[in-house]
Coordinates of all heavy atoms in Angstrom, one line a residue:
I15 N 1.7 -60.5 8.4 CA 2.1 -59.5 9.4 C 2.8 -60.3 10.5 O 2.3 -61.3 11.0 CB 0.9 -58.7 9.9 CG1 0.2 -58.0 8.8 CG2 1.4 -57.8 11.1 CD1 -1.1 -57.2 9.3
E16 N 4.0 -59.9 10.8 CA 4.8 -60.5 11.9 C 4.9 -59.5 13.0 O 5.4 -58.4 12.8 CB 6.2 -60.9 11.4 CG 6.2 -61.9 10.3 CD 6.0 -63.3 10.8 OE1 6.2 -63.6 12.0 OE2 5.6 -64.2 10.0
I17 N 4.5 -59.9 14.2 CA 4.5 -59.0 15.4 C 5.4 -59.7 16.5 O 5.0 -60.7 17.0 CB 3.1 -58.8 15.9 CG1 2.1 -58.3 14.8 CG2 3.1 -57.9 17.1 CD1 0.7 -58.3 15.2
A18 N 6.5 -59.0 16.8 CA 7.3 -59.4 18.0 C 6.8 -58.7 19.2 O 6.9 -57.4 19.3 CB 8.7 -59.1 17.7
T19 N 6.2 -59.4 20.1 CA 5.6 -58.8 21.3 C 5.9 -59.7 22.5 O 5.8 -60.9 22.4 CB 4.1 -58.5 21.1 OG1 3.5 -58.0 22.3 CG2 3.3 -59.8 20.7
A20 N 6.2 -59.1 23.6 CA 6.6 -59.8 24.8 C 7.7 -60.8 24.4 O 8.6 -60.5 23.8 CB 5.4 -60.4 25.5
G21 N 7.5 -62.1 24.8 CA 8.5 -63.1 24.5 C 8.1 -64.0 23.3 O 8.7 -65.1 23.2
V22 N 7.2 -63.6 22.4 CA 6.8 -64.4 21.3 C 6.8 -63.5 20.0 O 6.9 -62.3 20.0 CB 5.4 -64.9 21.5 CG1 5.3 -65.8 22.7 CG2 4.3 -63.8 21.6
V23 N 6.7 -64.3 18.9 CA 6.5 -63.6 17.6 C 5.1 -64.2 17.1 O 5.0 -65.4 17.1 CB 7.6 -63.9 16.6 CG1 7.2 -63.4 15.2 CG2 8.9 -63.3 17.0
V24 N 4.2 -63.3 16.8 CA 2.9 -63.7 16.2 C 2.9 -63.5 14.7 O 3.2 -62.4 14.3 CB 1.8 -62.9 16.9 CG1 0.4 -63.3 16.3 CG2 1.8 -63.1 18.4
G25 N 2.7 -64.6 14.0 CA 2.6 -64.5 12.5 C 1.2 -64.5 12.1 O 0.4 -65.4 12.5
I26 N 0.8 -63.6 11.3 CA -0.6 -63.5 10.8 C -0.5 -63.7 9.3 O 0.2 -63.0 8.6 CB -1.3 -62.2 11.1 CG1 -1.3 -62.0 12.7 CG2 -2.7 -62.1 10.5 CD1 -1.8 -60.6 13.1
Y27 N -1.3 -64.7 8.8 CA -1.2 -65.1 7.4 C -2.7 -65.1 6.9 O -3.5 -65.9 7.4 CB -0.6 -66.4 7.2 CG 0.7 -66.5 7.9 CD1 0.8 -67.1 9.1 CD2 1.9 -66.0 7.3 CE1 2.1 -67.1 9.8 CE2 3.1 -66.1 8.0 CZ 3.2 -66.6 9.2 OH 4.4 -66.7 9.9
A28 N -3.0 -64.2 5.9 CA -4.4 -64.1 5.5 C -4.5 -64.1 4.0 O -3.6 -63.7 3.3 CB -5.0 -62.8 6.1
D29 N -5.7 -64.4 3.5 CA -5.9 -64.4 2.1 C -6.2 -63.0 1.6 O -6.1 -62.7 0.4 CB -7.1 -65.3 1.7 CG -8.4 -64.9 2.2 OD1 -8.5 -64.1 3.2 OD2 -9.5 -65.3 1.6
R30 N -6.5 -62.0 2.5 CA -6.7 -60.6 2.1 C -6.0 -59.7 3.1 O -6.1 -60.0 4.3 CB -8.2 -60.3 2.0 CG -8.9 -61.1 0.9 CD -10.4 -60.8 1.0 NE -10.8 -61.4 2.3 CZ -12.0 -61.6 2.7 NH1 -13.0 -61.3 1.9 NH2 -12.3 -62.1 3.9
P31 N -5.3 -58.7 2.6 CA -4.7 -57.8 3.5 C -5.6 -57.2 4.6 O -5.2 -57.0 5.7 CB -4.1 -56.7 2.6 CG -3.9 -57.3 1.3 CD -5.1 -58.3 1.2
R32 N -6.8 -56.9 4.2 CA -7.8 -56.3 5.2 C -8.0 -57.3 6.3 O -8.1 -56.9 7.5 CB -9.1 -56.0 4.4 CG -10.2 -55.4 5.3 CD -11.4 -55.1 4.5 NE -12.0 -56.3 3.9 CZ -12.8 -57.2 4.5 NH1 -13.1 -57.1 5.7 NH2 -13.3 -58.2 3.8
V33 N -8.0 -58.6 6.1 CA -8.2 -59.6 7.1 C -7.0 -59.6 8.0 O -7.1 -59.7 9.3 CB -8.5 -61.0 6.5 CG1 -8.5 -62.1 7.5 CG2 -9.9 -61.0 5.7
A34 N -5.8 -59.6 7.4 CA -4.6 -59.6 8.2 C -4.5 -58.4 9.1 O -4.2 -58.5 10.3 CB -3.4 -59.7 7.3
A35 N -4.9 -57.2 8.6 CA -4.8 -56.0 9.4 C -5.8 -56.0 10.5 O -5.5 -55.6 11.7 CB -5.1 -54.8 8.5
A36 N -7.0 -56.6 10.3 CA -8.0 -56.7 11.3 C -7.6 -57.6 12.4 O -7.8 -57.4 13.6 CB -9.4 -57.1 10.7
A37 N -6.9 -58.7 12.0 CA -6.4 -59.7 13.0 C -5.3 -59.0 13.9 O -5.3 -59.2 15.1 CB -5.9 -60.9 12.3
A38 N -4.5 -58.2 13.3 CA -3.4 -57.5 14.0 C -4.0 -56.6 15.1 O -3.4 -56.4 16.1 CB -2.5 -56.8 13.1
Q39 N -5.1 -56.0 14.8 CA -5.8 -55.1 15.7 C -6.5 -55.8 16.8 O -6.9 -55.1 17.8 CB -6.7 -54.1 14.9 CG -6.0 -53.2 14.0 CD -5.2 -52.2 14.8 OE1 -5.4 -51.8 15.9 NE2 -4.1 -51.8 14.2
T40 N -6.8 -57.1 16.6 CA -7.7 -57.7 17.6 C -7.0 -58.9 18.3 O -7.7 -59.5 19.2 CB -9.0 -58.2 16.9 OG1 -8.7 -59.1 15.9 CG2 -9.8 -57.0 16.4
I41 N -5.8 -59.3 18.0 CA -5.2 -60.5 18.6 C -5.1 -60.2 20.1 O -4.9 -59.1 20.6 CB -3.8 -60.8 18.1 CG1 -2.8 -59.7 18.2 CG2 -3.9 -61.3 16.7 CD1 -1.4 -60.0 18.0

């Protein structure tokens, strides 16, 4: 999951889609 927010891009790389989605909700 790649999130462009404010002046950065946050890349989330996970071994399971559920983990990536949870990280996107809590970063």
Side-chain angles (χ1 to χ4, degrees):
I15 299 175
E16 296 281 338
I17 305 171
T19 178
V22 300
V23 174
V24 178
I26 298 171
Y27 310 96
D29 67 338
R30 293 173 299 194
R32 181 179 59 79
V33 171
Q39 291 297 329
T40 58
I41 60 169

